[in-house]
Amino acid sequence: MLIRRPPDLVPSDITPQEVYARRREFIKAAGGLALGAGLGLDALPAAAQGKATTMKLFGVKESPLSTGEKKNSRQEITEYNNFYEFGTDKADPAQFAHTLVTRPWTVAVEGAVNKPRVFDIDELMKLAPLEERIYRMRCVEGWSMVIPWVGYPLAELIRRVEPTGNAKYIEYDTLADPRQMPGVRSRVLDWPYVEGLRLDEAMHPLTLLCVGLYGETLPNQCGAPVRVVVPWKYGFKSGKSIVRIRFVEKEPRTAWNKAAPREYGFYSNVNPDVDHPRWSQATERRIGEFSKRKTTLFNGYADQVARLYAGMDLKKSF
Ligand code: MTE
């Protein structure tokens, strides 16, 4: 996203010089990480030093909320990613994210709730029945995919912690450990990666607490071991590898909103009529297809979610 390119340009056309410079720094750091040079890699568990693996998930039900559209392949979904903690290039997460240690892992749920709790990942995986949800996903950069996620509604977790009357929003933070995530050593974003939702958006049945992909646990580059997925919003709202969910009264400042407030609003609902300041959002390219297709309001989920925004000016609240 920082690379500031509409989908048809190649990086060398428009990538600002300083971003290339940072990328070089990053590659140096990542090379160092691979060799364990000076970054404390020797202190990481052995499993983190090899290739990360995924495990089959059992008892996953099909969901009526899935789209019937053709799915992108596992290879497309796992080799073309945004995960700036591992670099800014789409190929970086697949190459570098194996250093992420996903066990043990906890998610602290805190703030304006009656029952704050720290959930262990194994407890979180079993909190509610797992479903396969095949969702259309649309990135703000102009590409899209159809992805068979596995998870359950985030509302299941929210209900268990009992939000108080002061809980109007949630904010969720990603792990930001420079030992495991070489991109965190760059200043490309103000870490940790933070995203947020209004409480009713977070409680909506389409909003997923996601622990899997294609019937297996999440690959690291896709946000292992647990991420949020919000299919009617641009992909950057779907924070990866989350470690904390906080219930708050005021609209949270999010990572991309802090970096470029004119370009990335809090709501970030997919909307073909609201252009990004530097490119149109009217069309998108589905990864694996040649020609473009029209982008639809709320990414095609208007029937389910439009009521959340009744009476709001979506150009102002972009
Ligand atoms: N979460 C974290 N922690 N760091 C990131 O850089 N990128 C976001 C989002 N979640 C990002 C993140 C963006 S811009 C997109 S488009 C989606 O993840 C991409 O998810 P995918 O790679 O699984 O398709």
Side-chain angles (χ1 to χ4, degrees), residues 31-264:
L33 186 68
L35 296 169
L39 292 174
L41 182 69
D42 39 353
L44 294 175
Q49 299 179 35
K51 271 268 171 251
T53 50
T54 53
M55 284 179 304
K56 188 164 168 46
L57 292 168
F58 293 96
V60 178
K61 296 202 183 87
E62 281 180 27
S63 166
L65 295 172
S66 288
T67 169
E69 285 174 61
K70 182 173 175 280
K71 291 178 281 198
N72 280 91
S73 69
R74 195 177 193 283
Q75 186 175 6
E76 286 163 338
I77 297 166
T78 57
E79 294 186 2
Y80 191 85
N81 301 99
N82 277 330
F83 200 169
Y84 274 23
E85 288 85 340
F86 295 100
T88 56
D89 194 88
K90 300 283 179 279
D92 286 340
Q95 203 183 339
F96 300 119
H98 62 90
T99 55
L100 178 66
V101 181
T102 57
R103 288 283 189 298
W105 190 279
T106 57
V107 178
V109 186
E110 58 194 39
V113 292
N114 288 323
K115 295 185 171 167
R117 258 177 81 178
V118 177
F119 290 90
D120 183 79
I121 185 62
D122 293 318
E123 187 186 1
L124 216 51
M125 304 275 301
K126 287 182 275 187
L127 205 64
L130 295 180
E131 294 173 24
E132 179 174 75
R133 290 278 184 96
I134 307 171
Y135 280 163
R136 282 182 295 277
M137 301 299 292
R138 167 68 155 81
C139 179
V140 73
E141 295 163 321
W143 50 271
S144 64
M145 293 201 215
V146 175
I147 304 185
W149 301 116
V150 178
Y152 52 80
L154 179 61
E156 293 278 358
L157 179 145
I158 294 177
R159 273 195 279 275
R160 284 166 173 80
V161 295
E162 296 180 8
T164 69
N166 292 333
K168 305 280 193 276
Y169 298 87
I170 63 164
E171 60 179 40
Y172 34 104
D173 299 350
T174 299
L175 181 74
D177 178 357
R179 284 195 322 143
Q180 304 178 49
M181 303 171 130
V184 171
R185 302 184 147 235
S186 85
R187 280 163 290 123
V188 87
L189 283 174
D190 180 10
W191 311 107
Y193 192 98
V194 182
E195 259 309 333
L197 294 170
R198 221 170 53 193
L199 189 60
D200 58 347
E201 297 177 318
M203 293 287 291
H204 192 281
L206 284 175
T207 303
L208 216 57
L209 192 73
C210 172
V211 295
L213 168 76
Y214 261 113
E216 298 183 354
T217 52
L218 279 171
N220 286 1
Q221 64 267 40
C222 296
V226 57
R227 71 179 296 177
V228 174
V229 173
V230 196
W232 71 94
K233 292 178 181 280
Y234 292 115
F236 66 90
K237 299 295 288 182
S238 294
K240 296 179 169 183
S241 305
I242 60 165
V243 291
R244 179 171 295 102
I245 301 176
R246 199 176 302 112
F247 289 73
V248 294
E249 193 158 9
K250 294 214 176 77
E251 186 181 288
R253 295 286 321 272
T254 59
W256 279 105
N257 184 255
K258 279 193 254 175
R262 267 180 17 86
E263 304 192 6
Y264 307 110

